[in-house]
Structure formats: structure tokens, C-alpha cells
Amino acid sequence: MTFLELYGEALNIELASSDTTQLFTTARRKAAINDAMTAFVKETSCTRRAGLITMIDEDGDYELETEFTDFLRLSGAPSIKVTNASSQVRWLQGREAFPQRDIDTLDWERPGWRNLDSSTPDCWYLDLTDGDAILGLVPAPLFASGETWQLRVPYIAKPTALSADGDLPFTTGSDQHLALVPFHQGLAHYAAGRLEAARKNYDGYDRQMKLYAGYVAKWFALKQADAVGVVQIARNYYAEQGAYRIEDPWR
């Protein structure tokens, strides 16, 4: 549904009112639809994107809100793509080669880690101090001659606020999340609930929010149905033994 269809006819039906001049003004309708879209994204993380940051030699800190203007929060582990002068590519990624560490753990296990010489990063951390999301690499990267490094960051994007009548919900940058079209009606229920509260119709508010919650539940049910049915162990004990693994001499 377009923005016009949502704040117009969809809300007319749910509110049983076509009023746009008194209680259910056009401005309130539009604001309620945008609030609904933001709420749905925060509850479902449905606008997942992967952004690329061109890294700088010996620079280990990257402010994600600056790199991605639509950044809401991290959604998975970052990885590093290294391309050498011959266009050969290698990746730093995964729990073993490039794990996450928190700052307290680094302070405890690696005193002086902030002053390590630049090299190949072996872990990353997320620093949310002062409201900024800083993605840090330990140690800071050191490029070989002719190399280019890119940081691939999966994150949840803030959808672009709806303003024009033809705008579609859940648009991030130039990407329209068409898989979310079946969930557009959920926005009308959330918005109707907010507006029902404005006229103190709390039974109507409860009904609309329950209908909205059904769309959220449906999202998670579909996501679960599409998930790969594999249980992953937290640690690969066999791989951790490495060169120290003892083979059975009688086998």
C-alpha cells in the first residue's frame, strides 16, 4: 500500500471514520503511520542491510552512524574483505578468526590493547559510549602495498519517513522491501490504535493493537519457517585442538 492508501482509506475503515479535519486530522494520520512503521522495524528487525566501509590504514575505529545515515543497530558480526594488488581476495570473518570481544574482556585479557602495533585485526568490539556506535578493530589494520580493505557491516536500517502520497513503507535508501508488502496492513492497525486512544476509545485501542501484534507474530513465524534447521555448537572443540590433536597410533 502507498502512504496515501494507508493514512487514507485503510484508516477510514479501521476507525469507521473519514474525518481528516477534527480529531483524525491528516497530519495526525500521517504521523501515526510513520510511528507504526518505526515500531514494526524496531520489533522485528525486518530492514536488515549490509553496508561497506572503505577502511583506512592503521585506523581501527569506525563510527557507524556517520558511515551509514540510516543506521539503527548492528545485526550480526562484521567481516573484513582484503583485496591485494593482484585482485586476489581474502576474508577475515567468523567466530574463530574474527570474534567479538567486549571492552571489559579486552581490558582484562589484553592490558594495553589500545596501544597495540597495527597488524591484522583478530577481533572486534562495539562501543556504545555517549550514544555513539563505534565499531573497533583490535589491533588496527596494517595494509600491505597495493591492498584495499573493506569492512562489511550487517545492520538494521531506519526506514525513510513517508512523506509523499506515493511513498511505500519500509524503504531504506533506494531499496524497497517488497517482501514486507503483506505486512503493510499491520501499520494501519497500529496507527488506528494510536488514534483510538486519542478519542479515549480504549477498547478500540486494545483491539487494534492486538491485530497489529498478530502481524508481528506472523513475521517471526515466517522467519522461523524459513530458518535452516541446524543446531550449531558454540565451540568447535575438534578444530581448537589443531596441531596438538593426538592421533590413535593403532588406527
Side-chain angles (χ1 to χ4, degrees):
M1 284 188 242
T2 65
F3 191 28
L4 174 61
E5 291 169 332
L6 283 167
Y7 77 76
E9 188 60 20
L11 277 181
N12 289 346
I13 293 171
E14 298 306 325
L15 296 169
S17 171
S18 58
D19 171 37
T20 59
T21 60
Q22 298 181 21
L23 187 60
F24 303 137
T25 63
T26 299
R28 287 180 178 176
R29 286 167 172 256
K30 290 181 176 181
I33 292 295
N34 273 304
D35 288 346
M37 182 173 63
T38 300
F40 194 85
V41 168
K42 288 182 177 179
E43 291 182 49
T44 64
S45 300
C46 60
T47 53
R48 192 171 187 265
R49 304 184 75 189
L52 290 175
I53 299 173
T54 299
M55 298 171 61
I56 301 172
D57 195 15
E58 299 189 71
D59 185 354
D61 290 344
Y62 298 88
E63 186 173 343
L64 298 180
E65 290 98 340
T66 300
E67 299 290 344
F68 310 115
T69 56
D70 60 352
F71 178 84
L72 185 62
R73 63 175 178 272
L74 204 61
S75 177
S79 53
I80 297 176
K81 179 184 180 182
V82 181
T83 306
N84 67 16
S86 301
S87 298
Q88 295 175 317
V89 175
R90 64 187 175 96
W91 286 88
L92 298 174
Q93 59 188 154
R95 294 181 180 178
E96 295 181 10
F98 193 48
Q100 181 181 10
R101 294 286 184 265
D102 61 57
I103 293 177
D104 288 341
T105 298
L106 287 168
D107 289 342
W108 174 261
E109 295 181 349
R110 302 171 72 170
W113 60 272
R114 295 183 186 274
N115 294 321
L116 290 173
D117 292 337
S118 299
S119 182
T120 299
D122 56 51
C123 67
W124 63 276
Y125 66 89
L126 184 65
D127 186 358
L128 299 176
T129 304
D130 297 328
D132 297 324
I134 305 296
L135 180 59
L137 311 176
V138 182
L142 181 64
F143 299 1
S145 177
E147 284 185 340
T148 58
W149 290 46
Q150 288 180 304
L151 190 59
R152 183 181 185 275
V153 182
Y155 68 97
I156 304 302
K158 292 180 287 190
T160 303
L162 303 171
S163 57
D165 285 348
D167 286 350
L168 290 176
F170 306 115
T171 298
T172 54
S174 60
D175 298 329
Q176 294 180 347
H177 295 261
L178 298 181
L180 293 169
V181 169
F183 299 90
H184 288 184
Q185 179 61 33
L187 306 185
H189 290 304
Y190 183 100
R194 292 287 298 271
L195 294 171
E196 289 288 16
R199 62 177 172 184
K200 296 182 171 54
N201 179 11
Y202 298 117
D203 288 339
Y205 169 86
D206 289 340
R207 177 180 177 276
Q208 292 293 344
M209 287 305 183
K210 286 177 182 177
L211 290 170
Y212 164 75
Y215 280 85
V216 174
K218 182 180 180 181
W219 164 263
F220 285 111
L222 291 175
K223 187 176 179 182
Q224 181 65 31
D226 292 339
V228 178
V230 176
V231 177
Q232 186 177 22
I233 60 175
R235 295 178 62 183
N236 188 341
Y237 293 95
Y238 187 78
E240 288 178 7
Q241 294 178 49
Y244 299 100
R245 186 170 61 248
I246 300 175
E247 302 291 347
D248 184 351
W250 298 101
R251 189 170 58 185

